[in-house]
Amino acid sequence: MTLPWEAAQAAGRQVALVIGNAAYENVSPLVNPKRDAAALSDRLRDAGFDVVEAFDADTFAMRRAADRFVDAAKGADLAVFYYAGHGVQLFDQNYLLARDTDPEALTEIQDLGLSLSDLADRLRESGAVRVALLVDACRDNPLPMDTTVRLVTGAGASASEDEGGARPAVALATGRGLAPLAAASGPGGAQMLTFFAAQPREVSYDGTGSNSFLMEGLLEALSGDRRDMAEVIRHASAYVRTVTGGRQVPQVVSDWTGDVALGGNVKARVEYDLFDRESTLSRADRDLVRKGTAGFSKLRGDFVAQAGWNQGTPDNLSEDERKRYRSVGGNAPSMSVHYDLDRDGREETLTVYNEVSSVQVVLEKEGVRRTVGSCGLPAPIDAIEFGLRDVDGDRRPEVFVTYEGERTAGFGRLCVLRFRGFDDLAGSRRGNLGRTDGNDDLFDTLLDTDAGWSATVAIDGTIRRCSGTGCADAYDYRFDGRRYVSVEDASVVPNVEVDSPTSDDRSSPEAPSVEQRVATFVNATLFRPGKHAGSELRVLYGERVDYFGKSNRSAADVVKEKLQYFERWPKRTFVMDETTLTVTPDRDALTVRFEYSYEVSGAKGTRAGRGLATMRLRENVGRSFVILSEGGRTL
């Protein structure tokens, strides 16, 4: 009698095992796998998956994680396995290398790490409805040739004894890529989909930024609403093929007869509560009140969540809508943003309450509530906006706050806050609704300054605060790893000490090298396809720039010429050849050279080829750069 009930409980359940191995002890280390695995793990967890993780796992840890995952996959609707790290092919078998793989001590193929074929067989028989294997491990074989020959020869001898004939063992080994994984044969078992980062016996690239090309494609595909798995795979495949100019083409092997949607809810939940007016207003009026309440927005950029609350007359309503808005009582009394800020699996709620004599900003977790005192809060506030975005790479979003009120002269305030957590939460989980005003211990302040008319957060985390027509008065801030600093004078804003992020069980990725940061900077800014805003480009350059043979040009002239080029060639693909990148310190700057391939299309047709880029960059205390000179030529 319990079996049907258990099956019903398991329906729709989605589980995942995510492994990222980078810090290899005895073979060449890698750069991006831990970051790739961490990024996908967060995205899957936000989408409702039960996730098993393993970072820099040794052989024992990899096999233990695989056992836990196979057990969790029983009866699941979808089981996703993702691996980033070294992988090798010996015979027709693929092995995913553990962190402690030692070429000098290997005697058996099984000692390499985790057999992908064995894991696929176990998952096929696990009782899961569908299984997806995502493998970003098609890199060069890191094992020495003598080790490869020894392993393959030993396995060939065993095969000869077992099968009664000679097997050309060494000929079946390869130094490049992974072997294709056949779809299931025979009736029964889970439907299997295998997504390799590259074609059989070809290699994938580790990427020029913080993630591999495959992971960039997957994250882009998963950044919106619910999507069928097949659509995610198609999107990621097209992305990889495009950004590498066809040098890397993923492969899909599948016997799926249906599809399954990857759970949504990637974005934080935002709610506007009308309280007593919820039942007295028509649906149209309720929608109007919520629309007007949300009509305050100064933040520009890519945020996990973004929500505004406006107590005054909203600018986003027509004149007729404003009249109706006022007649039904104006704004909603509260706005709440729900998200797991500290990534501990327990959600926090950040709420703005419009009370009788003031506006309160409260943070709540598991029944414990504290008034937020950071950033000049609480105060009588006319309008406020929250944005959530991770700028320091610790997998926990910072809280961007812009607000206007009695205590903010001119254009209001702009703050960036890091959540520290409730120190007393463990001893206070009794539904305590009391408040402690001005509890600054909840947040560290990374930035506190005037707001201006808008604040744009660029791809590299740089903030540009603007005021005046056409952003006539602009102030730039860059994150230096601990706080935001002013670009103009490199002074700390504000002058406060900030604790390092609290660590958890999931290892944070190591800081990237200067070469990796340069590659990320170029690819995320100059080499990014699509439209570019002038203000977005302006922040990249110093006041005076040497630009393609012309000395001491103003940044405004350079940006104007750059925008004209982008308009002439609206479709552009630039791919840096990371093997040619050199970064040389030169006094107070870095001299950068690299080759790249390009293809541009416009009204004048299509052009393609290779080029050499030369640049001088000034490192801006933290992770980003300012361009002092830019030049190059076609090859």
Side-chain angles (χ1 to χ4, degrees):
M1 291 297 292
T2 62
L3 292 178
W5 180 86
E6 291 174 350
Q9 290 293 103
R13 189 165 57 87
Q14 298 178 339
V15 299
L17 169 58
V18 176
I19 299 176
N21 286 345
Y24 286 94
E25 298 172 0
N26 304 297
V27 297
S28 58
L30 297 170
V31 176
N32 284 331
K34 280 179 63 177
R35 288 196 290 266
D36 293 340
L40 183 64
S41 177
D42 287 348
R43 190 59 55 83
L44 292 176
R45 184 175 280 105
D46 287 343
F49 277 74
D50 295 327
V51 182
V52 176
E53 290 182 337
F55 295 122
D56 285 336
D58 59 19
T59 304
F60 175 77
M62 284 183 69
R63 292 173 181 172
R64 182 177 60 180
D67 291 342
R68 290 178 56 198
F69 177 53
V70 171
D71 187 61
K74 295 176 181 177
D77 187 54
L78 173 62
V80 173
F81 170 73
Y82 171 81
Y83 174 81
H86 277 306
V88 298
Q89 176 200 344
L90 297 176
F91 292 122
D92 56 352
Q93 298 292 307
N94 299 313
Y95 292 90
L96 311 178
L97 268 58
R99 184 202 71 217
D100 59 346
T101 297
D102 187 353
E104 299 299 327
L106 288 174
T107 58
E108 300 288 341
I109 289 183
Q110 289 74 14
D111 295 336
L112 285 168
L114 193 64
S115 166
L116 183 61
S117 296
D118 288 349
L119 178 62
D121 290 341
R122 295 176 64 191
L123 290 170
R124 188 176 290 121
E125 303 301 323
S126 67
V129 178
R130 295 177 183 85
V131 172
L133 308 176
L134 314 180
V135 184
D136 195 359
C138 311
R139 298 176 170 85
D140 288 329
N141 182 354
L143 302 180
M145 179 56 69
D146 58 345
T147 300
T148 302
V149 171
R150 184 176 72 250
L151 289 173
V152 174
T153 303
S158 299
S160 176
E161 294 174 3
D162 294 340
E163 299 170 14
R167 187 174 185 179
V170 177
L172 289 174
T174 178
R176 289 175 59 86
L178 294 178
L181 191 67
S185 59
Q191 299 177 28
M192 300 290 296
L193 178 150
T194 305
F195 183 38
F196 283 105
Q199 293 292 310
R201 300 178 179 85
E202 294 297 329
V203 298
S204 69
Y205 297 93
D206 206 21
T208 55
S210 298
N211 298 110
S212 72
F213 293 129
L214 180 70
M215 182 50 58
E216 288 177 349
L218 286 171
L219 293 178
E220 185 175 278
L222 292 169
S223 63
D225 298 327
R226 288 173 64 87
R227 268 185 155 174
D228 286 344
M229 187 71 183
E231 185 180 352
V232 170
I233 296 299
R234 283 195 298 271
H235 182 105
S237 296
Y239 178 91
V240 172
R241 182 191 288 263
T242 299
V243 299
T244 64
R247 290 181 296 142
Q248 178 180 335
V249 179
Q251 183 201 37
V252 180
V253 179
S254 174
D255 68 349
W256 280 23
T257 58
D259 209 341
V260 61
L262 296 182
N265 195 33
V266 172
K267 299 290 185 180
R269 292 185 296 115
V270 178
E271 298 177 339
Y272 295 87
D273 200 333
L274 299 179
F275 296 111
D276 295 340
R277 293 157 61 196
E278 186 76 36
S279 60
T280 61
L281 298 178
S282 67
R283 179 174 181 178
D285 285 343
R286 292 197 300 269
D287 291 343
L288 177 64
V289 170
R290 290 190 171 98
K291 177 182 177 182
T293 302
F296 178 74
S297 177
K298 287 193 174 186
L299 294 174
R300 309 285 185 269
D302 181 20
F303 292 91
V304 174
Q306 196 169 349
W309 180 89
N310 189 6
Q311 186 172 235
T313 302
D315 296 329
N316 64 331
L317 300 182
S318 66
E319 188 58 38
D320 289 341
E321 286 178 323
R322 290 185 188 181
K323 292 179 181 178
R324 183 62 185 167
Y325 180 81
R326 290 190 291 266
S327 70
V328 298
N331 68 292
S334 78
M335 173 192 76
S336 297
V337 179
H338 305 270
Y339 195 77
D340 183 4
L341 293 176
D342 56 3
R343 310 296 294 168
D344 68 348
R346 299 176 294 168
E347 186 177 77
E348 287 81 27
T349 301
L350 189 62
T351 304
V352 177
Y353 289 102
N354 182 7
E355 300 187 334
V356 176
S357 59
S358 66
V359 173
Q360 296 283 340
V361 178
V362 174
L363 190 68
E364 179 178 353
K365 182 169 184 172
E366 296 187 344
V368 178
R369 293 167 57 171
R370 295 287 186 270
T371 299
V372 177
S374 305
C375 192
L377 301 170
I381 297 172
D382 297 325
I384 188 169
E385 180 183 15
F386 298 129
L388 305 182
R389 175 171 174 174
D390 179 16
V391 296
D392 62 4
D394 68 348
R395 304 172 68 185
R396 303 171 176 86
E398 279 63 49
V399 181
F400 290 71
V401 185
T402 59
Y403 72 97
E404 296 176 354
E406 293 180 6
R407 300 183 188 177
T408 61
F411 301 118
R413 301 295 293 174
L414 166 66
C415 297
V416 183
L417 308 176
R418 175 189 288 146
F419 180 51
R420 297 184 63 180
F422 288 86
D423 294 336
D424 60 344
L425 182 63
S428 304
R429 295 179 194 170
R430 296 187 177 90
N432 175 21
L433 300 184
R435 295 177 181 164
T436 303
D437 291 341
N439 186 350
D440 293 320
D441 291 338
L442 291 178
F443 290 96
D444 293 321
T445 302
L446 308 185
L447 177 66
D448 185 357
T449 186
D450 293 337
W453 288 357
S454 67
T456 301
V457 185
I459 295 173
D460 62 357
T462 301
I463 299 175
R464 162 150 286 207
R465 174 172 63 83
C466 288
S467 59
T469 303
C471 195
D473 298 317
Y475 302 89
D476 300 331
Y477 303 93
R478 297 182 184 275
F479 188 71
D480 71 355
R482 289 174 58 81
R483 55 181 69 86
Y484 273 94
V485 298
S486 169
V487 171
E488 285 74 13
D489 59 9
S491 62
V492 175
V493 184
N495 186 18
V496 295
E497 288 299 319
V498 180
D499 290 343
S500 299
T502 303
S503 62
D504 61 7
D505 293 336
R506 294 174 288 175
S507 303
S508 298
E510 294 85 358
S513 66
V514 65
E515 289 81 9
Q516 293 158 4
R517 290 188 286 114
V518 167
T520 298
F521 172 75
V522 172
N523 283 285
T525 54
L526 301 179
F527 279 12
R528 180 174 64 83
K531 295 183 178 180
H532 291 65
S535 59
E536 181 183 7
L537 290 172
R538 172 61 186 85
V539 74
L540 304 179
Y541 293 92
E543 291 300 324
R544 312 301 297 183
V545 185
D546 295 339
Y547 189 69
F548 284 89
K550 299 179 181 179
S551 302
N552 202 32
R553 298 190 61 187
S554 71
D557 287 344
V558 170
V559 170
K560 181 179 180 180
E561 186 170 330
K562 185 78 71 175
L563 289 174
Q564 290 173 346
Y565 176 84
F566 290 161
E567 184 176 355
R568 186 162 65 250
W569 305 105
K571 294 183 179 179
R572 306 177 304 279
T573 299
F574 293 88
V575 180
M576 178 188 292
D577 184 347
E578 56 190 287
T579 64
T580 66
L581 174 63
T582 62
V583 180
T584 306
D586 181 12
R587 297 190 301 277
D588 60 345
L590 301 173
T591 298
V592 176
R593 294 171 58 90
F594 60 86
E595 295 180 16
Y596 61 93
S597 60
Y598 68 91
E599 180 176 319
V600 295
S601 300
K604 295 184 178 181
T606 299
R607 297 180 183 178
R610 287 182 64 82
L612 170 67
T614 58
M615 308 176 74
R616 275 176 56 81
L617 305 178
R618 183 179 70 232
E619 192 164 9
N620 198 10
V621 182
R623 303 177 179 179
S624 197
F625 304 89
V626 173
I627 301 174
L628 304 179
S629 71
E630 181 180 352
R633 58 185 174 84
T634 57
L635 298 175

